[in-house]
Amino acid sequence: MGYFGREVARRIGGIEVFIQIIQGKCRDADTLHRQLDVWRKELGPKAAGWLGGTYGVTEDNRFIGVVRFESKEAAARNSVRPEQGVWWAETEKCFDGDVTFHDCDEAMMFLDGGADDAGFVQVMQGRVEDPQRFRRFMELPMDMLHQARPEIIGGSIAMEPDGRFTETIAFRSEEAAREGESKEMPADMRQAWDEEMAQMRDVVYLDLRHPWFASKT
């Protein structure tokens, strides 16, 4: 799984995108979910440049949030708001240990992007040996992927300078995702995919069976 696609890199509908990846070991998923709802309803509308996010906790309690902003500057402005600090002081109590934040200037959406109506989201993280080659692969046309895997709603890809990446793939359901991944891809797509998989290292899959979403309306 984890097929990459095309959109204009770092743009959604003409808006530049910055992605922040938040990860940590979750001790209280219910409270964390409520805290994120509080942020969406009370802090999100006043967060200039915030676009949306995809969140979830795996079955072994690993939390990941993929948050989209118009720019790095917008994310930085949000982080220093006093109300953000108050909210985070309560939210970090939902975690065991440290929470990591990774900022990704180079990000893109594909197909319908961070779809809020997905029933299942798979996150793939790893590192590519040749980031430039990987970027060229991300610019390939999406027509064949759309035809071969119609159950994929969309997703996002965020890259860091050292080649680390985080990809989210939104599906209508986990059942549809598993059925789709068992199908054979067209030969030319399979060749391109196999070549890119060969340069990936330290790949980890995070299955979000009960994902949460937020978008600025």
Side-chain angles (χ1 to χ4, degrees):
M1 207 175 292
Y3 305 142
F4 301 96
R6 182 195 67 85
E7 270 286 328
V8 179
R10 300 183 62 223
R11 304 185 72 84
I12 310 175
I15 301 175
E16 290 192 352
V17 176
F18 168 83
I19 283 182
Q20 186 174 71
I21 312 295
I22 307 168
Q23 293 183 257
K25 189 75 170 181
C26 180
R27 72 165 76 181
D28 188 343
D30 290 338
T31 300
L32 179 57
H33 196 172
R34 288 195 294 271
Q35 282 295 103
L36 287 168
D37 282 343
V38 168
W39 195 96
R40 175 178 56 83
K41 294 175 182 177
E42 299 180 9
L43 280 70
K46 299 178 182 179
W50 171 69
L51 298 174
T54 297
Y55 314 89
V57 178
T58 65
E59 292 188 346
D60 60 352
N61 299 317
R62 288 178 289 173
F63 168 81
I64 184 164
V66 180
V67 189
R68 305 184 300 276
F69 288 88
E70 291 180 358
S71 66
K72 185 175 184 177
E73 292 73 22
R77 288 194 300 268
N78 174 71
S79 68
V80 298
R81 291 192 298 162
E83 59 267 40
Q84 178 72 18
V86 172
W87 175 84
W88 179 248
E90 287 298 314
T91 303
E92 66 180 346
K93 297 176 183 178
C94 300
F95 295 93
D96 282 323
D98 294 334
V99 180
T100 62
F101 295 79
H102 293 284
D103 294 342
C104 302
D105 285 304
E106 186 169 359
M108 59 172 279
M109 311 298 286
F110 60 90
L111 294 177
D112 289 338
D116 289 0
D117 58 349
F120 173 70
V121 173
Q122 186 173 76
V123 181
M124 186 168 76
Q125 294 185 302
R127 178 179 56 83
V128 293
E129 293 186 336
D130 187 344
Q132 286 292 107
R133 172 180 159 180
F134 186 72
R135 293 183 186 98
R136 290 194 297 270
F137 179 58
M138 290 193 299
E139 295 172 358
L140 292 174
M142 285 293 291
D143 295 347
M144 292 181 65
L145 173 62
H146 185 64
Q147 294 174 9
R149 299 294 304 276
E151 79 282 2
I152 296 177
I153 301 174
S156 65
I157 304 170
M159 286 195 65
E160 299 177 54
D162 63 358
R164 286 185 295 171
F165 69 88
T166 297
E167 178 191 16
T168 68
I169 313 169
F171 298 89
R172 304 197 182 282
S173 68
E174 183 175 7
E175 181 181 10
R178 302 308 181 194
E179 181 181 351
E181 70 179 338
S182 67
K183 297 177 181 177
E184 282 292 324
M185 287 188 294
D188 48 356
M189 180 183 289
R190 167 59 67 183
Q191 179 179 354
W193 173 247
D194 287 346
E195 290 174 355
E196 291 311 308
M197 285 297 291
Q199 70 146 330
M200 292 181 185
R201 299 291 180 267
D202 307 319
V203 178
V204 175
Y205 294 91
L206 305 175
D207 289 342
L208 306 182
R209 293 187 166 88
H210 304 285
W212 318 323
F213 305 99
S215 293
K216 194 162 190 174
T217 57

